[in-house]
Each structure stands twice: as structure tokens, then as C-alpha cells.
Amino acid sequence: MKLSVLAISVLLISTGSAVAQADSTNELVNDSEQSSQFLIQQVRSSNSVGRAIRTVLARYPENTPELVEIALDTYPEKYREIVSAAVSSQPAYIDDILELALARELAPATELVTLAINAEPSYAEYVAEAACKFSPDQFNEIVKTAVSMEPDSADQIAKRLARTYPNKILEVLVTTIQEVPLVGKYVVDALLALFPVDSSESESMIIISVEQLAKHPEALERLVEIAERRGIQQDLISASAMRGGLTDAQAKLYVDRHYIK
């Protein structure tokens, strides 16, 4: 059953008890300011807006956007508690929760990403995707935050972002590996899997990635191995590695391990 804005407010602060009577409800229906004041008073008496949100969302998950909107508008200083409680209770509404919080400029996108991932780590890739959608100017910072918080999911985070933002694949690759170098080869594999093996885009991405990631041994090792398998000329790989800061001798070590003369 879909609830009205007022009904959500009443449920939010009641936490299952008969706090508001029907007459009080009728008086507040058309007065948003009074409804907000009523909500604030009741949240104070409950001592936990987060606990109240979890309780009501368990019963009325379809009202998550409306509930979060009311809570953020009437109790903005509790945004951390509100976002954490909403995400942990209803992670499927990540987009709505982050959009509402970001629209109100209550905190930087990276802080909200941190709150959301802490609340539900298994949704890290969806958190990153939503945050990048609503704060595109903070794209790299959001990627760094997400993969550093959940390095074991870095390849999945990178893959989802690359699919959603195909024009930023190289940016996602480089940012992810620079932030969590130990997952380099997995991220390389995940992102290159998005391209046809013999595509020009694949070859260009490998060559550019060698330059950008020349100082990250695990990722570079995997890139050179893939380059050889895909028939990319070894002199292109060596030159790219040197542009990335390796000496001729250092680049030669990587190439010689994989290219047969």
C-alpha cells in the first residue's frame, strides 16, 4: 500500500507504537512545515532516527524515496545516520538515496559513498555507479573511494563503471590500479574483456595503459602478456613503457619475458 507523505512521517517517528492519533494526522495533512516539526519532536523522543527508519522501511520498502526525502529535509544534521540506515535497510534504492542526499549538498559525494559502502559493502559497484551519475565532476574521486574501500570488488566496480561510462574506460582502469595496485591484473582482464580481441580499441587501450601503468609491475606484466597474445608489436609496447618512465633495460625485461624472438 502506497503511503502519503504525512503517513510516512507518522510511521517514521512512531516505530510501531500509536504515537499519533487520527485527529492529529488530519490536522497535519496539508501543512508540511507542521509535519516536519512534528517529525523532529518525535525523532528526539525516540533518540534514534536511524532505528526509526529501519523499522518503517522493513514494513514499507516501496516508500523509501519519500521517507528519505522527509528525513533529510526535517533532520539534515543526521544525514549520516539517515543514509546509513536507508542503504542498509533497502540497498535496492541506492540511486534514490544518493540522489536525494547529493541534491541537498549535505556532504561531498565521496563521504556519501563511504557511508553507503560501509552500510552495504556488497553493493559497492552500485554505489559507485549512482554517485558518478549524480556527481560526474567527482568521477575519479568516487572511483578511488569505492575501490579503496572494497579492493576485493575493484574489478567488478571498474567493470560496471566502464559499461556505464564507455568513454571513461581508460580513466577507470588507470585510477583503479593506481589506487589499489595489487588488483591490477584482475582489473585489466575485467576491462579488456569488454572489447573484441582483435579490435583497434583494444590495441589502443593496451598500448596507452602500458604507459600509464608502467610503474605498477603486476598490471604491466599482465598487459605485456596480453599484448603478445594479441599480436601487438613489441616495439610499440617497449616505447610505451619507456614513455611511462621505465628505462630501455627495464622495458626490455618485461618484453623479453613474453615475446619470443
Side-chain angles (χ1 to χ4, degrees):
M1 180 178 68
K2 199 73 174 175
L3 303 179
S4 68
V5 167
L6 173 64
I8 294 171
S9 296
V10 173
L11 282 167
L12 172 63
I13 47 75
S14 68
T15 61
S17 62
V19 174
Q21 300 298 320
D23 290 343
S24 298
T25 298
N26 291 334
E27 291 173 5
L28 294 170
V29 168
N30 296 315
D31 192 333
S32 60
E33 183 177 352
Q34 190 175 355
S35 178
S36 294
Q37 290 302 317
F38 178 71
L39 172 61
I40 290 172
Q41 291 168 8
Q42 296 302 320
V43 168
R44 283 175 181 165
S45 69
S46 74
N47 293 319
S48 175
V49 65
R51 186 161 54 249
I53 288 174
R54 288 187 183 92
T55 298
V56 76
L57 285 185
R59 294 182 60 190
Y60 301 96
E62 71 275 14
N63 293 110
T64 297
E66 295 95 328
L67 173 60
V68 171
E69 183 174 16
I70 290 171
L72 291 173
D73 284 344
T74 59
Y75 222 53
E77 65 272 26
K78 293 288 187 180
Y79 71 88
R80 294 182 182 88
E81 192 175 348
I82 293 166
V83 170
S84 296
V87 170
S88 63
S89 301
Q90 298 298 329
Y93 286 91
I94 285 283
D95 272 39
D96 297 287
I97 296 165
L98 289 184
E99 182 178 15
L100 288 164
L102 287 166
R104 285 155 178 76
E105 299 182 346
L106 297 173
T110 51
E111 182 183 346
L112 295 173
V113 167
T114 299
L115 290 171
I117 293 179
N118 277 334
E120 188 51 70
S122 65
Y123 272 68
E125 62 190 275
Y126 302 101
V127 171
E129 182 182 33
C132 286
K133 182 197 307 183
F134 301 121
S135 294
D137 57 318
Q138 298 182 56
F139 189 92
N140 285 345
E141 290 74 15
I142 290 167
V143 176
K144 289 179 183 179
T145 301
V147 299
S148 64
M149 290 191 66
E150 281 297 307
D152 291 342
S153 301
D155 56 336
Q156 293 305 311
I157 294 171
K159 197 169 185 177
R160 175 162 290 276
L161 290 175
R163 282 176 171 159
T164 307
Y165 305 97
N167 62 324
K168 289 182 175 287
I169 289 181
L170 182 61
E171 200 171 336
V172 170
L173 173 65
V174 173
T175 300
T176 300
I177 294 176
Q178 287 179 343
E179 193 66 23
V180 281
L182 292 179
V183 302
K185 67 180 182 181
Y186 305 109
V187 175
V188 168
D189 286 347
L191 296 192
L192 286 177
L194 300 176
F195 294 98
V197 171
D198 58 351
S199 69
S200 59
E201 291 90 347
S202 175
E203 179 172 331
S204 296
M205 181 176 169
I206 292 170
I207 293 171
I208 296 172
S209 297
V210 167
E211 177 182 347
Q212 295 292 319
L213 300 170
K215 297 297 183 65
H216 297 275
E218 189 170 347
L220 182 58
E221 191 77 42
R222 184 59 177 154
L223 283 165
V224 176
E225 179 184 358
I226 294 172
E228 189 279 329
R229 289 183 181 177
R230 297 193 178 187
I232 300 174
Q233 295 178 21
Q234 68 182 73
D235 59 334
L236 294 176
I237 297 301
S238 295
S240 184
M242 286 187 284
R243 285 195 300 271
L246 297 190
T247 65
D248 181 53
Q250 289 171 329
K252 189 173 185 298
L253 285 175
Y254 283 97
V255 170
D256 286 351
R257 275 200 289 270
H258 298 288
Y259 281 83
I260 299 174
K261 292 184 179 180

